[in-house]
Each structure stands twice: as structure tokens, then as C-alpha cells.
Amino acid sequence: MGKIAFVFPGQGAQAVGMGKDVYDALPHSRAVFEKGDEVLGFPLSRLIFEGPDSELKQTLNTQPALVTTSAAYLEAIRQHGVNPDYVAGHSLGEYSALVAAGALAYEDAVSLVRLRGRFMEEAVPGGQGAMAAVLGAEREALAELCRSISEAGNAVELANVNCPGQIVISGSKAGVEEAAQRIKEIGGKRAIPLEVSGPFHSSLMKEAAERLAAELGKVTINTPSVPVVVNVNATAVTDPGEIRELLMQQVFSPVLWQDSVEWLIAAGVDTFVEIGPGSVLAGLIRKIDKTVKVVNINSLESAAAGW
């Protein structure tokens, strides 16, 4: 019998109206949204369900909105008695994964990511940072190109190692633009600029990480009920102190998603359940390994269907 991993999406998966179906139909899921409104002191659920999209896309809103929606879908699937052997999340999704494993209370997670979003937005003045998705480049060659550009004075680094042939870079606007222009030198196909409010998962986020560390120190992190495979080093972690430290480092470190999925498969996982809006992670997982089963829990119907 193979093992199951619950995985949770990060920023970019949000959409106005997400989670409304489980809010309307399931009291346990509705309670998650209501608790989020109460903890944050404003009607987050209304923003999630009604928009406007421009406001939902603001990082300090997107992050609590996604954790809340993922937690609501988690409640929907839990009613069917399905439990994972491992959990993991992409960037912001790691907080949802920690909630799923009982390491973080939802109330603490939603408060933390609201602050995390704010700190990340404030770390670098608008227009000075950038991110781009690079297609078709080899990881080592791209890392070397970024190193040479950074050493010449314009910071640019690997930010998300998503799947073979898809890596996101992040850093100064000039650094990202130069790397994007030189992609073909290293055999890459193209670079697509991303609509983001800052150079996430780069060393330019260290100030945000320091501010977040102070907030992480105020919350209780429990030993998770199942191992959490974390972004920073793509290995399973169960120690609360280590989880706290890695959540801080995660803000300025690359998201090793491909490595995390490969680690889980090597550990015996043959079924990945993506819980939350969209299907971004499902697509990445299929590109990493076509043989594993991937299930999306992103609607009331999919949560009720079982699998």
C-alpha cells in the first residue's frame, strides 16, 4: 500500500469566489472562514467571495485568504476520514501544511501569514524587485548565470525550483531583467515576468524574515502528527524548533518543490492530494513524475467524491 501526501498551494492559486461552495454547504468549513474574520478583525471571507480581485491579489490579503480556503477544504476532506502520511506546501502553502499536521493552530497560521505578507511587501520599495519564470533552462546553468550577474552587482537568485524546465528567479529588477535577456545563452527557452509585489524567496527578503522571526517566537508550534516536508531543504521535519527556524529561512530561501516531491516519492508516496484552490501543484507533480496519482480537492464536489 502506497503512502499519501497532502500538499497545499501558495500564492498565485487565489481566485475570487474560492471556497464559497464548502462555506455554504459544510458547517466545519464555514467555521474556518468565520474564525479567520474574527482573528484578523475584518471580513476576509467577504473579500475572498466577492473581491475585488485587485484587493485579493495584494500579498497581505492573498496569504491569509489562501491559508483560510485551504483549511476549509481540509475540513471538507477530513469528514471522509482520509489522513496523510506526509504533508507539504509550496511557499505560503507550508503554513496550511503545518495546520493540517496540527503543528500550527489555524488562528496562529492566519495571523502569521497576514504579517508575513505585509513584511514581504514592505521589505523592498515598489518597482525595485522582480521575479520571472524561466522555461527550459538547466538548474545548474541557471544558478551559475544568476551567480555571475549577482557578483557583478545586480542580485538575482533561484527562487522556486518547481519542476524540470520551470524555475522562477527573483531579485533586483535589473538582475532579473539581465538574466531574462541571457536565458538563451544557457539553452533556456524564455523568461516570463511575474506579477508580484516583491522579490520573494531572495536574499532581498532578509529584513522581512527577521521581522517574521519575532512573530514566530510568539506562537506555539507543536510536534506535527505526521512529518512536514519543508521548502528550504526538501526533507521531512518534526522538531518544533527546527520548523520555526525553517519558516523564517523560507522567506529568503528558494522553494525546493521539485526536490520535495522527489523526496516524498522516494519515501513511498504514490498519491498526492492537492488541497486548496486551483491545480497548480498537480500540474507540477505530473511533470516531475507521471506515474503517481494526483487528486485535486478544490471544490465541494471533489471533496465529497472521495477517491
Side-chain angles (χ1 to χ4, degrees), residues 40-287:
L40 297 178
F42 77 99
L44 174 69
S45 56
R46 190 191 306 158
L47 175 60
I48 294 170
F49 301 148
E50 300 174 15
D53 186 53
S54 57
E55 207 173 314
L56 184 62
K57 275 184 180 165
Q58 290 173 18
T59 297
L60 84 168
N61 293 327
T62 308
Q63 297 202 13
L66 281 169
V67 166
T68 297
T69 305
S70 290
Y73 281 121
L74 177 67
E75 287 297 332
I77 188 175
R78 270 188 173 149
Q79 296 186 40
H80 298 280
V82 183
N83 292 303
D85 297 287
Y86 296 96
V87 296
H90 190 286
S91 184
L92 165 72
E94 198 163 281
Y95 287 81
S96 303
L98 289 164
V99 171
L104 261 183
Y106 162 72
E107 294 89 336
D108 288 333
V110 78
S111 300
L112 280 170
V113 299
R114 172 80 168 170
L115 291 167
R116 180 180 183 267
R118 197 178 91 215
F119 298 158
M120 289 167 76
E121 280 191 337
E122 292 172 355
V124 177
Q128 290 189 17
M131 298 179 77
V134 176
L135 305 181
E138 287 293 329
R139 180 169 173 173
E140 282 311 314
L142 182 58
E144 188 49 49
L145 174 65
C146 288
R147 264 194 296 275
S148 67
I149 294 169
S150 296
E151 282 166 9
N154 291 318
V156 58
E157 300 154 37
L158 303 193
N160 300 353
V161 180
N162 283 332
C163 66
Q166 191 199 109
I167 299 170
V168 174
I169 57 174
S170 179
S172 65
K173 192 167 187 288
V176 170
E177 284 174 353
E178 184 180 344
Q181 286 161 6
R182 294 176 60 186
I183 289 307
K184 293 197 172 160
E185 285 177 26
I186 59 165
K189 292 177 185 170
R190 61 194 175 114
I192 304 162
L194 299 182
E195 273 188 63
V196 290
S197 55
F200 304 150
H201 298 292
S202 77
S203 55
L204 300 178
M205 286 283 124
K206 282 194 172 167
E207 182 199 322
E210 284 165 16
R211 293 174 74 188
L212 181 64
E215 300 301 327
L216 284 164
K218 298 174 188 174
V219 302
T220 299
I221 297 180
N222 304 305
T223 301
S225 56
V226 295
V228 183
V229 178
V230 297
N231 292 183
V232 172
N233 57 20
T235 57
V237 176
T238 55
D239 177 69
E242 197 175 352
I243 290 169
R244 197 185 307 273
E245 173 65 21
L246 291 168
L247 284 175
M248 183 275 288
Q249 290 182 24
Q250 189 220 49
V251 176
F252 60 83
S253 302
V255 173
L256 302 179
W257 184 250
Q258 180 182 335
D259 308 55
S260 298
V261 171
E262 289 170 347
W263 189 97
L264 285 160
I265 293 167
V269 171
D270 63 3
T271 303
F272 288 82
V273 183
E274 181 177 4
I275 301 172
S279 56
V280 171
L281 299 185
L284 297 179
I285 292 164
R286 289 187 181 108
K287 286 177 182 163

